[in-house]
Amino acid sequence: MAERKTANPKVIVALDFPSADEALSLARNLDPTQCRVKVGKELFTRAGPALVEQLQQLNFELFLDLKYHDIPNTTAQACRAAAELGVWMVNVHALGGRRMMEAAREAIDKTQQPPLLIAVTILTSLEGPELAEIGLSGEPVDNVVRLARLAADSGMDGVVCSPKEVAALRETIEGDFHLVTPGVRPAGAAVGDQKRITTPEDAIRLGSSYLVIGRPITQAKDPLVALADINASINLC
Ligand code: C5P
């Protein structure tokens, strides 16, 4: 393993590409001491564990963003398989419930190198009326806080959330609970389809632990420079 210059890079680059070749060619232009990478459902479904291994061979720590949501045994075994792939972070849906999350915790704790186990609370794509339609009353943030508490009680290491929810979560949940936030845009970057965005500096100041950033880095003329600029801005916080 190459020696890491930045012990704990806060930026997780979302490798939202349709093929392993594209993901690897971007990754080879990045520095694993300066960021981590995220592989989600599309890329994993196309390229599978082989790509995860190739990215890890390039010394990247990897967030496997597959959002498991199933009966406790199935979710636990999926998390165990992810841990055995050597990933750094894996996630489940808090809506799978306490027993599912506890089973996932127990399964990965038996592995040699347990990844961080993170829960998704409420998908940020869901708005008020859609939440009501699936039986979740109240404001989205109230649901997020309730499910984040349940996630913490069930042994999760943190949650994925919007930067706008970070303050409420930091007020509610004490201790070393990781808040992983997408929806981050450097000042002046294209917003794309993100709606409620925060700059990297503001996200860190609010209390985000890790920033998931895709297109502002992956679509940049020079991804390494874009990443360096973001890291420089958050290092000042
Ligand atoms: O390109 P961009 O920075 O918008 O990418 C953000 C990444 O974070 C994507 O992989 C997206 O799927 C993910 N994500 C998100 N919003 C959420 C959860 C995940 O943008 N609420």
Side-chain angles (χ1 to χ4, degrees):
M1 289 282 263
E3 198 186 328
R4 293 186 185 282
K5 279 177 271 163
T6 299
N8 185 17
K10 291 189 175 351
V11 175
I12 304 171
V13 179
L15 298 178
D16 292 325
F17 294 104
S19 73
D21 284 352
E22 286 164 272
L24 285 167
S25 102
L26 188 273
R28 288 193 190 99
N29 278 318
L30 294 174
D31 177 348
T33 68
Q34 302 300 311
C35 66
R36 288 157 164 131
V37 293
K38 176 172 92 73
V39 170
K41 284 186 167 114
E42 179 190 7
L43 188 55
F44 189 79
T45 302
R46 290 189 187 278
L51 173 65
V52 169
E53 278 160 8
Q54 282 171 296
L55 288 164
Q56 290 180 156
Q57 274 160 18
L58 293 173
N59 286 327
F60 286 100
E61 290 191 316
L62 192 141
F63 173 15
L64 189 61
D65 179 19
L66 298 182
K67 301 185 182 71
Y68 298 126
H69 187 179
D70 212 309
I71 59 171
N73 182 59
T74 304
T75 300
Q77 295 313 320
C79 287
R80 180 177 150 200
E84 288 173 358
L85 258 181
V87 306
W88 163 74
M89 179 180 280
V90 64
N91 59 358
V92 300
H93 268 285
L95 284 168
R98 180 187 294 274
R99 277 193 305 117
M100 187 205 78
M101 288 189 275
E102 286 176 350
R105 171 87 270 159
E106 201 185 321
I108 68 163
D109 279 351
K110 287 189 190 140
T111 64
Q112 247 178 0
Q113 229 188 318
L116 290 173
L117 181 55
I118 301 293
V120 175
T121 54
I122 298 289
L123 292 170
T124 49
S125 53
L126 288 172
E127 292 176 325
E130 280 174 294
L131 282 183
E133 207 171 32
I134 56 171
L136 295 171
S137 55
E139 292 299 316
V141 69
D142 300 330
N143 284 284
V144 168
V145 167
R146 189 187 69 253
L147 287 165
R149 269 205 210 109
L150 175 65
D153 277 358
S154 308
M156 300 298 97
D157 295 309
V159 292
V160 181
C161 64
S162 146
K164 309 284 180 192
E165 293 153 359
V166 165
L169 290 173
R170 286 282 175 229
E171 263 173 38
T172 316
I173 300 171
E174 290 180 351
D176 190 16
F177 196 62
H178 298 292
L179 302 182
V180 180
T181 55
V184 176
R185 287 288 178 273
V191 173
D193 53 1
Q194 293 285 5
K195 294 235 154 43
R196 299 189 304 145
I197 55 162
T198 303
T199 63
E201 303 91 293
D202 282 347
I204 294 293
R205 278 191 210 109
L206 284 165
S208 290
S209 316
Y210 298 106
L211 312 178
V212 175
I213 305 179
R215 289 160 290 181
I217 294 171
T218 60
Q219 308 294 315
K221 214 169 75 190
D222 188 336
L224 200 54
V225 169
L227 174 62
D229 287 347
I230 293 170
N231 276 335
S233 71
I234 59 182
N235 285 340
L236 295 175
C237 293

